[in-house]
Amino acid sequence: GIDSRYNEGCRELANYLLFGLYNQNNNDFERTGFPEEVLDDIIILIKPDSVHLYCNPVNYNQLLPYVAHWRNLHFHCLTENE
């Protein structure tokens, strides 16, 4: 989320897991036209045997190319109405 993004440790971990997607100077997000808090609205739950990714329909399309290859990945995505 927006609070974690500005925490150095959280930002480094997110960039490690998502290949630099959340760099402070990433202009790809700015071009989408969506507010930063919508794009940053993700939760990654790492368990010993699986990874659960909670996101919204906006950032789902941004995240998918970075995580589609993860094994035992479970997406939890809100609908457009939610």
Side-chain angles (χ1 to χ4, degrees), residues 13-67:
L13 178 60
N15 281 326
Y16 175 77
L17 293 173
L18 301 171
F19 304 101
L21 179 64
Y22 284 102
N23 278 332
Q24 292 283 349
N25 57 2
N26 191 337
N27 293 328
D28 292 337
F29 282 160
E30 292 175 11
R31 283 185 251 149
T32 64
F34 290 102
E36 185 177 22
E37 59 271 8
V38 172
L39 296 170
D40 280 354
D41 192 20
I42 69 165
I43 297 172
I44 301 172
L45 175 62
I46 302 171
K47 298 169 73 175
D49 59 346
S50 63
V51 176
H52 294 261
L53 188 90
Y54 297 82
C55 63
N56 60 49
V58 173
N59 59 20
Y60 171 81
N61 292 322
Q62 299 288 327
L63 293 168
L64 192 57
Y66 295 92
V67 300

